[in-house]
Amino acid sequence: MDLPSARKLTENIEKIETLGHRLVAALSERATPNPGVEGPGPDLMLTTASAWMKSLAEQPTKLIEQQVNYWGETLRNYSDAQMALARSQKSTSDDAQEVPDKRFKNPLWQTHPFFSYVRKQYMTNAKAIQEAVSDLDLPDEVARRRVDWMTRQIIDMMSPTNFLATNPDALEKAIETEGQSLVQGLENLVRDVEMNGGEMVVSLADRDAFTVGENIGTAEGSVVYRTHLLELIQYKPTTEQVHETPLLIFPPWINKFYVLDLKPQNSLIRWLVGQGHTLFVVSWKNPDTSYAKIGMEDYVAAYLDAMDKVRELTDQPRLNVVGYCIAGTTLSLTLALLDRLGDDRVNSATLLTTLTDFSDHGEFTTYLQDDFINGIVEEVQRHGLMRAQLMSRTMSFLRANDLVWGPAIRSYMLGETPPAFDLLYWNGDSTNLPGRMALQYLQGLCQKNEFAGEGFELMGHRLHLGDVKTPLCAVACETDHIAPWADSWRGVAAMGSRDKSFILSESGHIAGIVNPPSKKKYGHYAGGAGFDKGHEAWRESASFFEGSWWPRWGDWLAERAGKMVPAREIKDEICPAPGTYVHERAVS
């Protein structure tokens, strides 16, 4: 190593030491952790241990066979590595026998004897753990799902790519940059820990790359109404005539509304205005501790209030409404309440990736058991909120390799700047949930499934799915892991509407919805034969169509939007869109 390189390396080592002190100081700011939300409680561990002891007592031969096979594969991996090292040759690749794994794209994982051995042994370990767990005789399906979830977390966490000494990409870059990549990575880590109150939460996107209202969320409009829970935005018309019946969108308050207006070319808001709709969108307040007692009934009341304001501003007795994700769940409750009240203000409703029947908890099974829910109760008692940080972390670990470990490797080991990606920026701009509302949702709707079962008590009424009788269109997404399409379909099937349609988009929870016609990226299924024979029968009878579902839904909506009238100008602007609430960030 020449003198300048040695000097640079020494300087970087000194920087690492300084950053290390900052990191320790930042970590010391972390609040006392709540074990209830850090992982499954001891009951799951006891259940797993009991199942293993039972297997040992009843099938000792099978366990011994598994162990012997594991030993054999481990010795074979070691022997292959030793032979390759002794002969100074490249390791032999067995890619044809393995499922491609993007974590191991670097050729050294295949050709270098050390890295090849590490990769093969990791795969051997993972296989052995999965086989051992799959053979456990667990008491029920809930225990099975929870044990499988915990197993995946452990396997993903222990990947050799997550450690500097066994990550060839990180080691190569550290050498190429004379340690600068590690310095930058540590700076990224310290920044994230300091920014999140002592918690290590990896930044998924460059927070300085976007400003809402300047380069994302720029559709032209005005806030025309404001309450303690919402700002109502009316968008400026871009057509000379508009449909008589106005359209109101309720986005989820778990995130912010501008996912529907990230940039002009994929903005559902701009597209709807261009289709001749007088469009209103709710921007929700990001709650602080003073909102602790706000409940689901307050949000339903806010829905009714926003509807009243839209009807007043447009001088129309009825309107069309859209609810996305949890806002669709709450819209369904609102529709059921309106039916009980004999109020026909809603002409049609659209539900986007909406769950209303929670009989199958799917990938959320782990999080919807009493141990974790009790932990959230403690969080709410302590903070008055279900804080955004906890919500984001929970969602991230549903896809840990993509949303936790992968970004951490790129940021902390490779020293890369988080990408300037609008969707990931939006994903990181999450919101708090009022404590009371969060518990009503988790306990009453998710755990007890009251809306699809005995009825959900709200504002003096016991509401059921069958009370939803408004003409409706539901859109679900094929690979949605947050609101699985089969569960969404099941809720719609139980609703009392005689006029209901279902569209299944390709892709996931966000990409399947934010799927403009211009991209021609994801197709969709529609026209299935009713809701009487289950979701698979519907899927088999449905037709597949290339391209976005937007135009199909647009036609459905236009049929229910009335005649064309002169475009409505915005009156009584409070402030320009996107308003003020959207700029409020959740503070750790």
Side-chain angles (χ1 to χ4, degrees):
M1 182 181 293
D2 57 29
L3 187 59
S5 296
R7 186 180 299 115
K8 179 69 176 297
L9 185 59
T10 301
E11 291 174 356
N12 283 331
I13 291 173
E14 291 175 354
K15 289 180 182 178
I16 289 173
E17 184 176 352
T18 301
L19 286 166
H21 291 306
R22 274 182 61 195
L23 179 60
V24 170
L27 289 170
S28 68
E29 297 297 319
R30 186 189 184 201
T32 303
N34 176 2
V37 295
E38 296 296 321
D43 287 350
L44 180 63
M45 310 307 170
L46 182 61
T47 298
T48 307
S50 298
W52 188 85
M53 292 298 293
K54 182 181 179 183
S55 296
L56 181 61
E58 297 179 354
Q59 299 177 304
T61 304
K62 188 170 186 178
L63 291 181
I64 292 172
E65 182 182 355
Q66 287 178 341
Q67 192 64 36
V68 169
N69 289 338
Y70 172 71
W71 289 345
E73 286 194 38
T74 297
L75 289 173
R76 189 180 306 114
N77 293 340
Y78 180 74
S79 176
D80 290 345
Q82 284 286 80
M83 291 177 63
L85 285 168
R87 297 173 181 173
S88 298
Q89 66 182 24
K90 293 182 177 181
S91 178
T92 56
S93 176
D94 53 3
D95 272 351
Q97 301 175 8
E98 294 181 6
V99 177
D101 190 324
K102 63 184 179 182
R103 292 175 295 180
F104 303 110
K105 289 190 298 184
N106 191 312
L108 290 177
W109 288 114
Q110 313 296 330
T111 60
H112 191 285
F114 170 72
F115 290 114
S116 177
Y117 167 68
V118 169
R119 177 182 62 84
K120 289 178 182 178
Q121 190 57 41
Y122 169 70
M123 294 299 189
T124 297
N125 293 344
K127 179 183 176 184
I129 293 171
Q130 288 170 326
E131 288 180 348
V133 167
S134 67
D135 287 337
L136 292 178
D137 184 12
L138 295 166
D140 52 39
E141 182 62 21
V142 169
R144 165 55 57 198
R145 288 184 178 184
R146 299 192 84 196
V147 169
D148 288 347
W149 176 87
M150 194 68 177
T151 302
R152 288 197 305 272
Q153 298 302 321
I154 293 170
I155 290 172
D156 291 345
M157 179 177 64
M158 297 309 296
S159 170
T161 52
N162 295 341
F163 303 91
L164 176 62
T166 50
N167 187 317
D169 294 301
L171 291 171
E172 286 181 326
K173 190 165 185 181
I175 292 171
E176 290 170 4
T177 62
E178 297 164 334
Q180 183 60 38
S181 61
L182 296 180
V183 173
Q184 184 58 51
L186 190 53
E187 287 179 346
N188 291 343
L189 173 59
V190 171
R191 174 206 64 213
D192 285 346
V193 173
E194 289 178 339
M195 190 169 60
N196 290 286
E199 297 280 353
M200 191 170 71
V201 181
V202 61
S203 295
L204 298 180
D206 184 355
R207 292 183 66 165
D208 297 325
F210 300 99
T211 300
V212 181
E214 293 184 10
N215 55 359
I216 52 175
T218 59
E220 193 173 355
S222 303
V223 173
V224 293
Y225 185 57
R226 179 184 292 142
T227 72
H228 69 295
L229 267 183
L230 63 83
E231 288 181 331
L232 182 65
I233 300 172
Q234 180 178 355
Y235 285 91
K236 184 176 180 179
T238 58
T239 57
E240 292 186 0
Q241 289 195 313
V242 295
H243 290 281
E244 185 176 38
T245 305
L247 178 64
L248 171 60
I249 297 180
F250 295 102
W253 52 90
I254 290 174
N255 292 100
K256 295 182 179 177
F257 81 91
Y258 63 87
V259 69
L260 301 176
D261 186 35
L262 288 172
K263 46 194 172 187
Q265 57 267 38
N266 66 359
S267 170
L268 180 59
I269 287 174
R270 290 175 184 264
W271 185 83
L272 285 167
V273 172
Q275 299 301 303
H277 292 284
T278 302
L279 179 64
F280 296 82
V281 176
V282 165
S283 174
W284 296 105
K285 176 75 174 178
N286 194 347
D288 56 28
T289 54
S290 68
Y291 284 70
K293 300 300 182 183
I294 294 292
M296 190 66 76
E297 63 274 18
D298 295 291
Y299 279 92
V300 170
Y303 275 50
L304 299 175
D305 187 29
M307 291 179 192
D308 283 338
K309 191 63 181 179
V310 169
R311 294 193 298 163
E312 175 191 325
L313 291 170
T314 59
D315 195 25
Q316 288 294 309
R318 310 189 76 198
L319 74 168
N320 294 318
V321 292
V322 179
Y324 190 175
C325 190
I326 190 176
T329 307
T330 311
L331 176 58
S332 299
L333 290 169
T334 306
L335 296 175
L337 177 65
L338 288 172
D339 178 74
R340 288 297 187 91
L341 298 174
D343 188 325
D344 67 349
R345 70 178 67 188
V346 175
N347 187 57
S348 79
T350 299
L351 305 176
L352 306 180
T353 63
T354 293
L355 294 179
T356 50
D357 181 340
F358 295 87
S359 54
D360 187 344
H361 293 156
E363 295 192 41
F364 286 93
T365 297
T366 293
Y367 300 120
L368 290 175
Q369 304 312 306
D370 286 341
D371 51 4
F372 198 79
I373 295 296
N374 290 339
I376 294 175
V377 171
E378 292 177 17
E379 282 284 299
V380 168
Q381 290 172 345
R382 184 188 302 182
H383 304 287
L385 303 165
M386 185 172 176
R387 294 178 298 167
Q389 188 181 87
L390 173 59
M391 194 72 177
S392 296
R393 187 181 69 180
T394 300
M395 294 296 187
S396 294
F397 275 98
L398 292 176
R399 293 290 182 271
N401 284 329
D402 293 331
L403 297 176
V404 180
W405 307 120
I409 290 167
R410 292 189 293 273
S411 186
Y412 304 152
M413 281 201 276
L414 299 177
E416 296 177 0
T417 301
F421 185 10
D422 55 1
L423 186 56
L424 288 179
Y425 174 88
W426 166 84
N427 187 69
D429 189 14
S430 52
T431 61
N432 299 317
L433 300 182
R436 185 164 180 269
M437 173 265 141
L439 294 181
Q440 285 176 303
Y441 178 77
L442 292 172
Q443 294 174 326
L445 289 171
C446 297
Q447 272 195 310
K448 298 177 184 177
N449 197 26
E450 291 175 344
F451 193 27
E454 295 180 357
F456 185 78
E457 288 284 350
L458 188 77
M459 302 170 77
H461 296 272
R462 186 179 289 270
L463 306 176
H464 299 83
L465 276 176
D467 297 328
V468 179
K469 298 173 183 174
T470 308
L472 63 88
C473 178
V475 182
C477 298
E478 192 173 25
T479 58
D480 192 335
H481 63 283
I482 295 173
W485 81 267
D487 299 334
S488 177
W489 187 96
R490 188 172 59 251
V492 173
M495 292 178 179
S497 306
R498 294 183 179 180
D499 174 9
K500 54 187 176 183
S501 300
F502 193 84
I503 298 173
L504 178 62
S505 173
E506 290 185 312
S507 196
H509 193 69
I510 302 300
I513 297 299
V514 184
N515 179 29
S518 59
K519 280 191 174 182
K520 299 180 181 178
K521 191 172 184 180
Y522 302 119
H524 63 280
Y525 298 85
F531 294 87
D532 299 328
K533 298 180 180 179
H535 67 280
E536 288 295 352
W538 179 91
R539 169 73 172 269
E540 290 174 5
S541 64
S543 300
F544 178 76
F545 300 90
E546 297 286 348
S548 171
W549 57 271
W550 291 11
R552 181 172 304 281
W553 174 60
D555 291 342
W556 181 93
L557 190 61
E559 292 174 1
R560 293 157 178 81
K563 64 183 181 181
M564 304 304 290
V565 298
R568 302 177 174 100
E569 294 301 323
I570 299 173
K571 303 174 183 177
D572 302 326
E573 175 186 86
I574 295 174
C575 69
T580 59
Y581 286 175
V582 74
H583 296 295
E584 298 173 348
R585 298 193 70 98
V587 180
S588 300

